Amino acid sequence: MTDAVHIVLDETAMEAAGQGNVLASRLIHRAHAESGWLLYAPACALVEADRARPGTAEHLAALPGITVLDLDLAAALALARQDTWAAAHSRYAAQPTLNRPDGAIIATTAPKRWEDEPVRVLDLHA
């Protein structure tokens, strides 16, 4: 067990951060300023956020508190069976791993989208 807080931003959270959402901004600040707060941006969600709000990907990728998660083979195989790559990559990134034994929380402004999924959600809809 670890005291670290692992949070995956889905594309709606990334878009919200670009629009000045206070809760998303607080998460980004904490990830930069406090140890133990780890923020992840799955590459597929980053692409969708940038399509909806151009410039989002470049901006978020430049922030020191955010780790961009690449689309590796295991992620690609998981995504191939899903309808939307952004949500599928976010869900995959939130699964437990050796580094994140409890998995990660998905930050989103669309919590209903995650209701039937086996993930924990942080609602950023202010």
Side-chain angles (χ1 to χ4, degrees):
M1 291 295 211
T2 178
D3 290 335
V5 178
H6 299 274
I7 300 175
V8 172
L9 300 172
D10 75 358
E11 76 277 11
T12 68
M14 294 179 200
E15 292 169 34
Q19 296 171 340
N21 178 289
V22 174
L23 298 174
S25 295
R26 286 182 186 164
L27 280 179
I28 292 167
H29 174 72
R30 276 198 136 154
H32 174 67
E34 296 181 34
S35 65
W37 283 79
L38 303 159
L39 221 50
Y40 304 97
C44 292
L46 197 58
V47 168
E48 286 304 314
D50 199 72
R51 286 181 178 167
R53 186 170 172 77
T56 299
E58 187 175 354
H59 175 72
L60 288 176
L63 295 174
I66 297 179
T67 300
V68 176
L69 300 176
D70 294 331
L71 184 62
D72 60 13
L73 178 59
L77 293 173
L79 297 180
R81 295 182 283 270
Q82 304 300 320
D83 292 334
T84 67
W85 284 30
H89 200 188
S90 297
R91 184 177 61 245
Y92 176 82
Q95 293 178 355
T97 66
L98 291 176
N99 296 333
R100 297 184 302 273
D102 296 327
I105 300 164
I106 295 181
T108 184
T109 61
K112 289 191 183 294
R113 150 203 234 174
W114 299 104
E115 283 181 348
D116 295 328
E117 300 292 339
V119 296
R120 295 175 291 158
V121 172
L122 175 61
D123 186 356
L124 299 181
H125 193 255

